[in-house]
Amino acid sequence: MNEKFIKNEQLNFIKKQIALIKDISKRNVPKSVLLAEIDLANAKIIDNMPHVTEEQLGMLDISSLRTDVEYEQYIQLLSSYVQPFPKITEQHLKKMFPKNKKLKLPDLSTIDHSKLTYLSWTDLGLNKKFIVYELDGKMVGIECKVTPTSKANYCSICQSIGEVTYFSTKTKAKKSKNPDYYKSIGNLICTDSNECNKKITNVEYLTTVLREALAK
């Protein structure tokens, strides 16, 4: 089977479940408790992959794994089935953000597309953060004003504690009676998007912000 059926955030979710099992196993809990936790983690992994085949379900099953070596081999195997982030060119990115004539783009040749849920970079000259994601089969992007923060906090995208930046973006929605109206969306997100991509386990908040920001 060569089909790549796992998304980056789904692999991160699996890694998180395995980390929890390893942590519990180190606490010398009764075997029945450990087995129950493994069954629960296995169920969560399967629930998080609703569109897989029977063969793929078999690959995802962790119920027989016990050692760190087995878990590591399991992760390595699944990593080869991760769907890469869609290829995108500098020209495409420039078309997505036409108002930014002097836009500084990331070096796309250095990016590992297999470890991306979303593409993001910060242009310090413009004081903006750009986010690109494949939403409903189409590559979309938003730009956000950013304000650095001095303390670690909770990232709204990956739902983990780390170095964060406050971002705000305007929606495209307008009101007929007030053409100057706009709504601003703001929250805290990881300063380093690569770290965020390593920890993100679901795209609920990310897609919500994108849909709201792009709604007309």
Side-chain angles (χ1 to χ4, degrees):
M1 184 182 70
N2 298 317
E3 181 186 357
K4 296 184 182 296
F5 66 98
I6 303 173
K7 297 180 180 180
N8 175 67
E9 64 272 14
Q10 291 173 324
L11 182 63
N12 290 342
F13 181 85
I14 293 171
K15 289 178 179 178
K16 186 175 182 179
Q17 297 306 309
I18 290 176
L20 290 172
I21 292 173
K22 287 182 177 180
D23 182 61
I24 292 171
S25 65
K26 292 176 182 178
R27 299 179 187 178
N28 296 317
V29 299
K31 184 177 180 179
S32 59
V33 174
L34 177 59
L35 291 177
E37 291 295 336
I38 292 174
D39 286 343
L40 178 60
N42 203 46
K44 288 181 177 179
I45 290 171
I46 293 172
D47 286 346
N48 197 46
M49 305 284 292
H51 304 298
V52 295
T53 65
E54 287 296 322
E55 183 180 2
Q56 292 164 348
L57 277 177
M59 292 178 58
L60 293 169
D61 187 8
I62 64 170
S63 60
S64 64
L65 306 181
R66 293 293 182 271
T67 68
D68 286 354
V69 172
E70 289 175 333
Y71 285 126
E72 184 60 33
Q73 291 174 340
Y74 169 81
I75 291 298
Q76 287 181 357
L77 173 63
L78 294 189
S79 295
S80 63
Y81 290 93
V82 172
Q83 297 172 350
F85 187 81
K87 292 292 184 180
I88 192 166
T89 64
E90 291 186 357
Q91 190 65 22
H92 192 176
L93 290 176
K94 289 178 180 179
K95 287 183 178 179
M96 294 176 74
F97 305 103
K99 294 181 180 179
N100 299 281
K101 302 301 182 183
K102 297 183 179 181
L103 178 64
K104 292 184 179 179
L105 298 173
D107 185 350
L108 298 176
S109 66
T110 65
I111 295 174
D112 186 347
H113 286 66
S114 68
K115 296 181 179 179
L116 286 186
T117 291
Y118 69 97
L119 173 66
S120 181
W121 71 98
T122 301
D123 187 326
L124 296 177
L126 297 175
N127 194 35
K128 289 182 179 180
K129 190 175 187 71
F130 298 85
I131 298 175
V132 175
Y133 178 74
E134 186 178 32
L135 184 66
D136 300 329
K138 180 181 179 181
M139 295 297 288
V140 298
I142 60 173
E143 57 185 75
C144 318
K145 285 288 187 180
V146 291
T147 305
T149 62
S150 58
K151 296 181 180 180
N153 213 318
Y154 185 82
C155 170
S156 56
I157 291 181
C158 70
Q159 301 172 16
S160 300
I161 298 295
E163 182 182 345
V164 295
T165 296
Y166 181 80
F167 83 95
S168 62
T169 186
K170 298 178 182 179
T171 68
K172 292 186 176 182
K174 300 291 184 182
K175 288 187 175 181
S176 58
K177 294 182 179 180
N178 184 4
D180 295 324
Y181 166 86
Y182 71 87
K183 179 181 177 181
S184 180
I185 308 169
N187 215 322
L188 297 171
I189 57 176
C190 284
T191 302
D192 187 338
S193 61
N194 290 325
E195 288 300 312
C196 193
N197 273 286
K198 292 178 183 178
K199 297 181 288 185
I200 184 172
T201 57
N202 72 76
V203 295
E204 182 178 353
Y205 180 81
L206 176 61
T207 56
T208 297
V209 169
L210 286 167
R211 291 185 195 283
E212 190 170 354
L214 296 171
K216 296 182 180 179

